[in-house]
Every structure is written in C-alpha cells, then in structure tokens.
Amino acid sequence: MTLGGGYLLPSREGRDIRAIGIGITMKTDGKSTHDAYSMFEYAVPPQTSGPPPHVHTREDESFVCLAGRLDVMLGGETFTIGHGDYLFLPRDVVHTFRNSSDEEARVISVVSPAGLERYYQALAELPEGPPDINAIKEIMADFGLQLRIPG
C-alpha cells in the first residue's frame, strides 16, 4: 500500500532476514529513509539469547518492546523491558539481549543511521552449518561492529 510515497506494513510483515538466530523482519531501510535510520521487528523465541556481547561504532539503537519481555545487558547493567518500554542503546557501549521467559518477545529496533540491514544480509549469506566465528568477525569489522566476548 502506498501512502503519499510512504507505505504500511502490518505487524510481522516486511522482509525476513535469517541472521543471528532470531526472527528479524526489516520494516524499512536506508534506501527508504535517505540513510537516516533502519527499523526491524525482532521475534525472540522463549529461552533464547540474541547476539553475543558486541559494540556498534557507527550507529545508535533503540528498542521498544511490543510483547513479552527482554533482558538487555547494556554497559554492564541489565534491564528488563516489557510491553511499551523503550530502551536507548548508544553506540560505543557493549550490549546484548536474552529472552529468559517462556513466551516469545517482540521488539521494534530503530537503528540510526541506517546500514545495519546490510550487516544482517551479509550474515544471512554465510553458508549454513556451524557458525564460522572468523567469518563473522570479519563481517562485523566491515560494518563497524566489535565482538566483546568476556573471558
């Protein structure tokens, strides 16, 4: 549906991107927003972790919880967001998330500026099978992300 150049996407509709082990539906990308931002709907299954701890050096993220709840580790603190809650995740701060509940969590993620959609697509194009951590680190570096696995 076109709305004066815009468009309408119902919940869970958009372009599916199979990356990082959760459901990612791209709602809009840099092409649509003149690179201002991209937006995703994440569906995180029960008892599922998102990506390992990492840092974005190029973009800020915002999470708005649509359903369920999500535990988000941000800069050494853990926050639990639930329906309607908003959490700002600034660039250069380590973060990760996990759904520790028994129900699906759904979150809208706004990433500014745009570009994370290209990172997700690059991950989705990796061969199936056990993840190749070196290939993932290389892709992350290409998009200004840094893995921060404790140890």
Side-chain angles (χ1 to χ4, degrees), residues 8-135:
L8 170 71
L9 288 174
S11 181
R12 299 183 190 264
E13 289 191 19
R15 190 172 125 231
D16 287 331
I17 303 174
R18 299 285 169 204
I20 73 171
I22 65 171
I24 301 173
T25 303
M26 186 175 65
K27 298 301 218 176
T28 197
D29 61 11
K31 199 179 293 185
S32 302
T33 66
H34 303 284
D35 290 323
Y37 67 94
S38 50
M39 183 185 304
F40 308 91
E41 184 174 353
Y42 297 151
V44 187
Q47 303 298 323
T48 299
S49 293
H54 62 282
V55 170
H56 296 254
T57 63
R58 299 178 184 168
E59 58 270 318
D60 300 312
E61 289 182 277
S62 293
F63 285 176
V64 178
C65 188
L66 301 176
R69 64 178 197 268
L70 200 63
D71 302 321
V72 182
M73 189 280 290
L74 175 64
E77 292 185 64
T78 300
F79 302 89
T80 300
I81 59 173
H83 178 76
D85 290 342
Y86 169 82
L87 182 63
F88 176 65
L89 298 91
R91 70 187 75 193
D92 297 321
V93 178
V94 65
H95 62 278
T96 188
F97 58 84
R98 173 171 174 68
N99 179 358
S100 59
S101 77
D102 291 327
E103 64 180 83
E104 179 184 72
R106 288 189 16 251
V107 175
I108 289 290
S109 173
V110 178
V111 181
S112 176
L116 199 63
E117 63 273 20
R118 292 187 300 275
Y119 164 69
Y120 285 150
Q121 189 58 52
L123 289 178
E125 291 170 4
L126 286 171
E128 290 190 31
D132 176 347
I133 193 67
N134 290 326

